[in-house]
Amino acid sequence: MPGSPGRHYIGVGVGGIILGADGRVLLAQRGPGARNQRGQWENPGGALEFGERFEDALVREIREELDIEVVVEGLLRVVNHILPEDRQHWVSPTFVCRHVRGTPRIREPEKCSAVEWFALDRLPEPMTAISRADLTCYRRLIAGGGGVLPVEWCRAVVSEQR
């Protein structure tokens, strides 16, 4: 498809709230070559590739960009992420993930300029609006004793050709 996702057609970008064993969250600061919101902190993630499941894209993006392994535990929510200034529109599912292996390191410095663990009550600024909203939603969910939706709720359905 010609053009770029989010700008010439609606893109799909997955994000992950990555939880460490101590309950802190891993955030990445968008680098100088990011498509939008440069310099802002965010939940790591990236764009879906054709035929890829949400959770597989998230695991792949986190491995490619931060060199760590995560387990996707569940779906937090799905939103329309609209960036009027950049004329971009993304459909963005956010998942809750558990860090299982590796020390985070920046592998794509043009996309990410910093990576750091933060307590939920001590988040950095500036933060992307979607990540701030996702983390607020997550804090409310855990404060109320709720849980995330099972990943199976958004598994791929592949139609057969007739």
Side-chain angles (χ1 to χ4, degrees):
M1 185 177 296
S4 59
R7 182 175 297 266
H8 297 102
Y9 55 92
I10 296 171
V12 179
V14 293
I17 294 175
I18 303 172
L19 301 173
D22 60 0
R24 292 185 301 164
V25 296
L26 185 66
L27 298 175
Q29 189 174 39
R30 295 180 66 78
R35 289 180 214 223
N36 52 48
Q37 302 180 306
R38 291 168 205 76
Q40 296 185 33
W41 291 89
E42 69 173 351
N43 295 314
L48 222 65
E49 294 177 357
F50 180 79
E52 194 172 35
R53 299 182 316 173
F54 295 135
E55 64 273 23
D56 294 337
L58 185 55
V59 168
R60 174 187 53 75
E61 287 282 355
I62 291 168
R63 183 182 308 122
E64 287 174 1
E65 294 178 8
L66 302 176
D67 200 27
I68 61 171
E69 297 296 323
V70 298
V71 171
V72 178
E73 297 197 328
L75 175 67
L76 178 66
R77 66 189 199 137
V78 180
V79 299
N80 280 293
H81 185 203
I82 300 170
L83 301 144
E85 319 79 48
D86 296 312
R87 299 212 26 86
Q88 293 184 26
H89 182 167
W90 295 85
V91 174
S92 301
T94 298
F95 294 85
V96 174
C97 305
R98 183 172 33 90
H99 173 249
V100 293
R101 190 174 359 316
T103 300
R105 67 182 182 97
I106 299 168
R107 294 181 68 188
E108 296 180 343
E110 68 284 352
K111 291 182 181 178
C112 177
S113 57
V115 61
E116 194 172 327
W117 293 99
F118 293 94
L120 280 169
D121 60 352
R122 293 190 179 183
L123 298 173
E125 289 294 338
M127 183 174 280
T128 64
I130 190 170
S131 293
R132 182 181 301 107
D134 286 342
L135 289 162
T136 298
C137 180
Y138 177 72
R139 282 193 302 255
R140 287 181 184 150
L141 182 75
I142 59 174
V148 294
L149 296 172
V151 174
E152 291 77 24
W153 283 31
C154 55
R155 294 277 182 197
V157 175
V158 180
S159 298
E160 294 182 23
Q161 294 285 331
R162 288 191 181 203

